[in-house]
Structures are given as C-alpha cells and as structure tokens.
Amino acid sequence: TLMLERTALPAPMFPRNSVSIWGILKKCIGLELSKITMPIAFNEPLSFLQRISEYMEHTYLLNKACTLPDSIQRMQAVAAFAVSAVASQWDRTGKPFNPLLGETYELTREDQGYRLVSEQVSHHPPVSAFHAESLAGDFVFHGSIYPKLKFWGKSVEAEPKGTITMELLKFNEAYTWSNPFCCVHNIILGSLWIEQYGTVEIINHSTGDKCVLNFKPCGMFGKELHRVEGYIQDKSKRKHCVIYGKWTECMWSVDPQTFENHRKNEKKGESRKKENDDSDDMPESQDTVSVIPGSTLLWRIASRPTHSTTMYNFTSFAMSLNEMEPGMEATLPPTDGRLRPDIRAMENGLMDEASREKERLEQKQRESRKERAKSQEEWSTRWFQQGNNPFTGSPDWLYTGGYFNRNYATLPNIY
C-alpha cells in the first residue's frame, strides 16, 4: 500500500515578531553566523539535511532527462532541475536547524523512484553530504554543501560552497554545478524577503556542453526580481538555446535567434520611466514571465497549500519531510533527523521545550567534542568519506555505500 504523506504540520508556527533580532545581531556585523546561537523563533522545524532533500522535489525532471535522446535536451532538463532545486527557498525565511555532527536523514520515495541519504560530516565548518540514487539505476545525484553565512547590517547572505553532481548512468554523462547565492533582506525591520543571485554554470563533462544561468539580482526597481536567464552551448561554443524564466515560477527554452529578435522589439517599445525609491522593501513581482512565442516550457512550480503561510511557507513536499510514518522507527538509524527532539517539539508548537532541547543537544555535542580531544580521538564519519570529485577534481565528500543495509549497531548517540 502507498503511504500518503501528511498535508499539514501538527501545529501552526509561532509568531516571530515578538522577538528582537537586532539585540542579537548588532554584536556580529561581518562575522560568520555559524558561531552565533540564534533564538529558536527564527528557525523552521526542519534540519538543514532535510532542507537539502528538497532538491529532490522535482525528480520527475531527472526521470525525464533519462528518456531524452539528445544531449542538448538532456541539459535543458538538468538545468530546469538545478533551478527547481532552489525554488523551495522562496519565502522560506526561517532558518533550518544546524545538523549535529553525525546526524543523518534518509528519504525514500517509491512513487518518484529514488532514495536519498545524507550525513552531517563536519561541524566546524558545517558540511552536509548527500547521495541520492534512482531505484531503477538511471541516475545518481550527490554533493556536499558548506553554507557560509555572513551578516551585512540589513541582510544575511548565504554562499552555498560545494559541488553538486548529477550522473545520468544510461548515457554515461556527468553534470556538475554550484548553487547561487541566497540573501535574506530586512532582517531587522520590515518584511523579510529572499533573493537568489549569481552565475550557475552546469557542465556536461562527457560532451563539453555547458549551460550558463544568470540568477539576476533584484535591481533598482525590482524589474529583475527572481529572474533567471541563460543559454546552452556545445563544446565549440555554438549557442543552441536560451533559457529564461523565474526560479519562483517557471523556466522556458527558446531558439537564440527568436530570443534576440524579441529583445530588440522589446527595447524599441520600452518607454523610459523614472522612479525613486530608497526603501529595501521587497519589490512587487511584475506578473510575471512574458513568454516569447515559440518557447518550450521546461518546468513549472507546483502551487503551495493554502495554509502554507501559517506553516513556515512550507511546500507540500516540505510538510512531509519530518513526518514519522508508521513502521519507520523500526528501520531508521538512531541518528535520523526525525528523531531529533528539538525539531519535533517545535513542529508540535512547544517552543519552550524546543528551545531547552536545542540547548541540551548543543551542550551534549560540545561535551563529546571535549571528550574526544582528551583521548585524542578523531571523529570518523559513517557513510561518506573525504575525497576529490571525480569530474572536477575539487574536494568533495563521497558516499561509501552500505547505508541501506540497515546495520546501525555502532552509530553514535547524538540525541
């Protein structure tokens, strides 16, 4: 029987406006935020390992890529997947919980045909490693992420250091990329809003095809908010298509010549408007992507449930991630994030208990680090080991296998 995932969290979120963030943050302008303990009211009830699993929400794009005969078409599907992987960040201003060293998370979705395992492999700096595989043996998707957070007065910027690799096994192809920067604005006054920006380059290491995606910064009058634009070229640098859209909505692909002509006509028709606006408020999203005739839709976001706004702006997919389904407890390792008491308490609306538990777990983690230092014992990761990415040569964490054999006898007690 197919288990239906839950469609809501057990309790609505706690209102954040009762907590003064400025008192905490003025001490740390320009500092790295991984060293600062934030009150739990700024969190969302998921750990960063669960948040990474949201990359898998649009796995159908990978399943589709595995059926396409042409490498440029496959690149379009992989590019759409890379954009869709950050789409769940939209309006998610809560901070995921920092995973404890040794924490794990697994996600198996028979209906989508994949399973994923992740592990927190380092605490300072915080590094999360993940490995997902298609149950049919079509693809492997893996990476390690070291989110560097910086505080700039009015905003927090996250740089997602780390490589993401997608292997389409049937075609013997490997694609690599890194995610864009993410910035949360107005963390002191006004409404929080999120912007993603930077260039994402997806490289097909087998064919030399390349996709360059430009996540545009919002710009003066908000005209560019959420926009993504780029192109796919082959190894001789010939452009095959232009990709455009918004990471919060949809991505389209069109022939480069059609795109250029459309651009020229658009410029002719633009009348210059002067605007003046000094606030940092979130620009109104101009509704929204104007589709160029002759374009092909690559991906469209699914709408969020209506009660999402009272539940940390979670997508339906996110709502199900911390659910303890019947029978799960018997198979999960003791390190799985679903067993973390602070996240569980917060999800149930018990903020004080969540706060106490979070403090207890962090203290427990510090104690065991001291113990290891005393006995000069190195922490050893369980499912991943440090190595080099086989395609880029850059440092990475690689899955060593064996997680799904369910032999969890020697795992650390972290909760």
Side-chain angles (χ1 to χ4, degrees):
T1 56
L2 190 62
M3 284 300 313
L4 280 176
E5 278 92 33
R6 66 182 181 188
T7 54
L9 297 176
M13 67 189 270
F14 179 82
R16 287 198 186 116
N17 46 16
S18 55
V19 188
S20 157
I21 191 164
W22 182 231
I24 305 149
L25 285 179
K26 61 183 179 219
K27 305 189 203 58
C28 43
I29 290 195
L31 290 181
E32 263 229 53
L33 289 186
S34 61
K35 308 272 199 294
I36 296 146
T37 307
M38 299 289 270
I40 206 158
F42 296 109
N43 283 36
E44 58 173 29
L46 286 178
S47 102
F48 187 67
L49 293 180
Q50 291 168 314
R51 184 85 176 243
I52 288 178
S53 310
E54 294 187 54
Y55 290 174
M56 300 304 290
E57 181 170 351
H58 306 96
T59 303
Y60 70 87
L61 292 165
L62 299 182
N63 293 330
K64 181 181 161 186
C66 293
T67 66
L68 297 168
D70 174 67
S71 78
I72 299 291
Q73 287 183 331
R74 290 196 290 276
M75 178 64 94
Q76 290 183 6
V78 171
F81 178 78
V83 174
S84 79
V86 297
S88 66
Q89 307 255 18
W90 180 37
D91 267 353
R92 290 275 286 285
T93 49
K95 177 183 162 314
F97 282 70
N98 294 332
L100 300 160
L101 185 60
E103 188 174 320
T104 59
Y105 181 71
E106 74 170 79
L107 184 63
T108 300
R109 288 280 156 94
E110 310 268 343
D111 53 329
Q112 288 260 319
Y114 69 85
R115 61 187 190 180
L116 167 145
V117 56
S118 54
E119 177 181 2
Q120 191 67 3
V121 289
S122 165
H123 182 61
H124 281 307
V127 181
S128 312
F130 69 91
H131 177 92
E133 54 197 30
S134 131
L135 298 172
D138 288 337
F139 65 80
V140 183
F141 173 54
H142 54 98
S144 50
I145 292 185
Y146 158 26
K148 273 189 97 133
L149 297 172
K150 280 207 185 82
F151 172 53
W152 298 112
K154 289 200 223 175
S155 58
V156 169
E157 179 180 69
E159 177 186 1
K161 289 173 122 29
T163 306
I164 296 178
T165 305
M166 166 66 58
E167 299 179 50
L168 300 182
L169 302 172
K170 184 163 126 194
F171 300 101
N172 214 352
E173 282 180 338
Y175 299 79
T176 59
W177 68 93
S178 284
N179 277 331
F181 283 71
C182 180
C183 189
V184 182
H185 291 272
N186 286 350
I187 50 181
I188 291 149
L189 293 168
S191 322
L192 294 166
W193 59 280
I194 285 182
E195 174 181 29
Q196 308 219 42
Y197 46 88
T199 303
V200 171
E201 282 206 355
I202 307 172
I203 293 163
N204 178 337
H205 293 268
S206 321
T207 60
D209 298 341
K210 186 171 168 184
C211 176
V212 180
L213 292 172
N214 181 8
F215 284 72
K216 303 201 167 185
C218 156
M220 268 306 280
F221 311 124
K223 275 221 317 252
E224 302 290 311
L225 181 68
H226 302 152
R227 277 181 195 268
V228 184
E229 201 172 279
Y231 55 86
I232 294 174
Q233 62 177 39
D234 61 26
K235 64 170 181 286
S236 62
K237 301 218 177 350
R238 184 165 89 84
K239 279 192 191 177
H240 286 258
C241 60
V242 169
I243 292 184
Y244 66 95
K246 292 190 177 178
W247 59 268
T248 49
E249 283 179 42
C250 56
M251 293 303 293
W252 297 81
S253 152
V254 73
D255 166 75
Q257 198 48 58
T258 312
F259 185 80
E260 284 312 314
N261 297 344
H262 181 82
R263 253 300 138 79
K264 284 191 194 106
N265 297 339
E266 225 179 21
K267 280 213 165 51
K268 278 186 207 142
E270 253 183 27
S271 57
R272 299 268 153 246
K273 291 198 302 281
K274 267 208 171 9
E275 297 182 50
N276 199 353
D277 185 8
D278 199 32
S279 88
D280 219 8
D281 285 349
M282 172 166 172
E284 286 299 309
S285 168
Q286 272 90 10
D287 203 65
T288 186
V289 178
S290 56
V291 180
I292 301 168
S295 301
T296 309
L297 179 69
L298 298 178
W299 161 77
R300 178 168 275 139
I301 200 165
S303 55
R304 295 188 183 182
T306 41
H307 51 271
S308 172
T309 46
T310 61
M311 300 197 169
Y312 309 91
N313 287 328
F314 278 9
T315 58
S316 302
F317 187 83
M319 301 253 187
S320 69
L321 290 175
N322 200 42
E323 183 176 9
M324 190 57 102
E325 291 169 21
M328 249 186 192
E329 208 151 349
T331 59
L332 286 179
T335 49
D336 192 281
R338 294 176 186 83
L339 301 166
R340 242 186 103 150
D342 50 356
I343 297 180
R344 184 64 58 195
M346 182 182 191
E347 176 181 287
N348 290 325
L350 309 168
M351 298 304 278
D352 293 344
E353 184 189 329
S355 206
R356 279 195 307 275
E357 282 296 310
K358 178 169 177 274
E359 226 156 276
R360 178 184 70 77
L361 292 175
E362 283 164 1
Q363 189 51 40
K364 179 169 175 164
Q365 178 163 257
R366 282 191 287 273
E367 293 299 320
S368 67
R369 191 162 66 232
K370 275 185 208 142
E371 285 302 305
R372 285 197 302 279
K374 261 191 224 151
S375 58
Q376 294 180 344
E377 188 193 326
E378 284 288 298
W379 172 265
S380 64
T381 52
R382 187 59 203 269
W383 311 111
F384 292 82
Q385 70 185 18
Q386 226 164 349
N388 288 338
N389 183 292
F391 309 103
T392 63
S394 53
D396 205 348
W397 286 84
L398 305 168
Y399 179 54
T400 50
Y403 174 89
F404 292 98
N405 300 342
R406 306 272 174 220
N407 172 14
Y408 304 137
T410 56
L411 289 184
N413 169 356
I414 55 175
Y415 305 138

